[in-house]
Amino acid sequence: MKLLLLVAAVLAVSSCASISLEDMEFHAWKLKFKKSYDSPSEETHRKQVWLNNRKFVLIHNALADQGLKSFHLGMTYFADMENQEYKKQISQGCLGSFNASLPRRGSTFNRLPKGTKLPKTVDWRKQGYVTKVKHQKECGSCWAFSATGALEGQHFRKTGKLVSLSEQQLVDCSRSFGNHGCNGGLMNPAFQYIRYNGGLDTEDSYHYKAKDGLCHYNPNSVGAICNGYVDVSPDEAALKQAVATIGPISIAVDASHESFQLYQSGVYDEHRCNKKHVTHAMLVVGYGTEGGHDYWLIKNSWGLQWGDKGYIKMTRNKGNQCGIATAASYPLV
């Protein structure tokens, strides 16, 4: 009996010894993000993609540790995707109809007089304007989360009450205003819909399903109304004024690069970004400076396990990098 136990122990140790650090890390990553695959061949392929991304992350972070990069990367939910797959998933129509050259139809943001002093740092989370980080999941509804975030902030500004609003209602009900549910949309048409509809239901009354559904708006469950929207000029100085004086602002950025796909912390700075071809909508909730790098503080809609607990700091004052100011707007309440 003792011999059998000894043999079993030796076999167990031998088995453990054959498991590499990469194997254990990949297994732990799958558990963290609840990943599973349809076949052993698919898992083998995904693991190889994951290993390639892991190498990219390690090299980038080694440079960041030496001060040569202003941000760190991590093995996010998207770490088993090649960049082309990731780009297809996050932009699956999310902002496909946006064209930077077309005229915008909202009211124009009134610039402040020259010389007006603005705060060096703004964080509207600390003032109660921002709801918890949400997760759009497998649905191209980033535009809806950006729109509700801006409206939640303006509703709080007017009433002093922070109410989480329904993205699902925008997904289900705003098609006649040019949006396409989980296949994409834009924030301004969402604001138009809310205005003409008479309001937007609360999150509690109209739950998020991460898929297209039939509209079941309930006028008795309205959490906020909208009286129009304002377009901010496509430059960072105007955006800073709007963020400092108005509150959280809806924006769109080029989020197509591996560096965004795997972002974890620090001030994101990607010189390859396209300022006109924006692919993903988010919410600016503040700005500041960290380690000598000016940044925009931005709330994403990919859950708490992406980025810095669901947020990203994107570089500021570098020529509208990633199109941060290209499509900025906010609702009137």
Side-chain angles (χ1 to χ4, degrees):
M1 184 64 180
K2 289 182 179 180
L3 179 61
L4 289 175
L5 290 174
L6 179 61
V7 170
V10 170
L11 289 174
V13 170
S14 299
S15 176
C16 289
S18 67
I19 299 176
S20 68
L21 176 63
E22 290 86 355
D23 289 333
M24 290 188 289
E25 286 185 9
F26 182 60
H27 182 67
W29 177 85
K30 286 194 301 176
L31 291 175
K32 178 180 179 179
F33 291 105
K34 299 178 181 179
K35 291 272 188 169
S36 61
Y37 304 105
D38 293 336
S39 67
S41 61
E42 173 69 6
E43 175 150 349
T44 298
H45 169 67
R46 291 298 164 193
K47 182 181 178 182
Q48 186 57 55
V49 173
W50 185 90
L51 287 170
N52 292 340
N53 282 328
R54 180 178 180 272
K55 181 178 179 181
F56 178 76
V57 166
L58 291 174
I59 293 172
H60 177 99
N61 287 349
L63 295 173
D65 289 342
Q66 296 175 49
L68 300 176
K69 296 285 185 180
S70 58
F71 62 104
H72 283 78
L73 301 180
M75 302 305 285
T76 68
Y77 174 85
F78 305 106
D80 64 345
M81 295 183 188
E82 295 174 341
N83 184 244
Q84 288 299 321
E85 294 177 281
Y86 157 80
K87 286 194 289 188
K88 183 178 180 181
Q89 175 163 322
I90 66 143
S91 65
Q92 54 172 333
C94 192
L95 291 174
S97 60
F98 178 79
N99 187 330
S101 65
L102 293 177
R104 303 170 75 193
R105 298 177 180 176
S107 302
T108 302
F109 175 68
N110 293 321
R111 301 287 290 266
L112 301 177
K114 287 186 177 181
T116 301
K117 289 188 176 181
L118 298 174
K120 290 184 178 180
T121 300
V122 171
D123 185 345
W124 289 112
R125 297 176 300 181
K126 297 178 180 178
Q127 307 301 320
Y129 278 61
V130 185
T131 56
K132 66 180 182 180
V133 171
K134 303 178 184 181
H135 200 329
Q136 68 187 74
K137 300 179 182 177
E138 306 292 327
C139 173
S141 55
C142 61
W143 57 275
F145 285 84
S146 177
T148 57
L151 185 55
E152 287 163 354
Q154 290 309 296
H155 179 75
F156 177 84
R157 184 185 184 199
K158 183 174 182 178
T159 68
K161 298 178 180 179
L162 184 63
V163 179
S164 186
L165 300 172
S166 175
E167 294 80 22
Q168 191 65 45
Q169 183 183 337
L170 293 176
V171 168
D172 294 344
C173 307
S174 68
R175 292 178 181 273
S176 62
F177 287 79
N179 290 326
H180 304 284
C182 284
N183 290 314
L186 295 168
M187 291 77 78
N188 288 356
F191 297 144
Q192 287 180 304
Y193 159 75
I194 299 166
R195 178 186 182 184
Y196 287 101
N197 183 64
L200 188 66
D201 283 353
T202 65
E203 193 92 62
D204 288 340
S205 65
Y206 202 141
H207 300 295
Y208 186 64
K209 302 294 185 182
K211 60 183 180 180
D212 294 320
L214 296 176
C215 180
H216 57 274
Y217 159 69
N218 183 351
N220 295 319
S221 300
V222 166
I225 61 171
C226 174
N227 294 316
Y229 64 92
V230 175
D231 287 323
V232 181
S233 300
D235 67 81
E236 290 187 87
L239 181 57
K240 181 180 179 182
Q241 290 183 2
V243 173
T245 60
I246 300 299
I249 305 293
S250 287
I251 53 98
V253 302
D254 174 11
S256 63
H257 300 282
E258 298 95 330
S259 52
F260 199 99
Q261 176 181 350
L262 302 169
Y263 169 83
Q264 184 172 52
S265 63
V267 179
Y268 182 76
D269 188 352
E270 178 56 81
H271 66 89
R272 298 174 297 165
C273 267
N274 188 320
K275 68 179 68 176
K276 293 185 178 180
H277 182 61
V278 292
T279 59
H280 182 58
M282 297 187 292
L283 186 74
V284 177
V285 302
Y287 61 81
T289 302
E290 178 178 279
H293 301 281
D294 293 341
Y295 67 82
W296 296 105
L297 178 62
I298 300 173
K299 180 186 181 185
N300 201 355
S301 53
W302 290 347
L304 290 168
Q305 292 182 320
W306 178 89
D308 189 356
K309 297 180 180 179
Y311 284 82
I312 181 172
K313 292 174 179 173
M314 297 188 71
T315 196
R316 182 166 60 90
N317 297 329
K318 282 197 175 180
N320 189 25
Q321 190 183 96
C322 297
I324 190 76
T326 297
S329 64
Y330 62 90
L332 294 170
V333 175

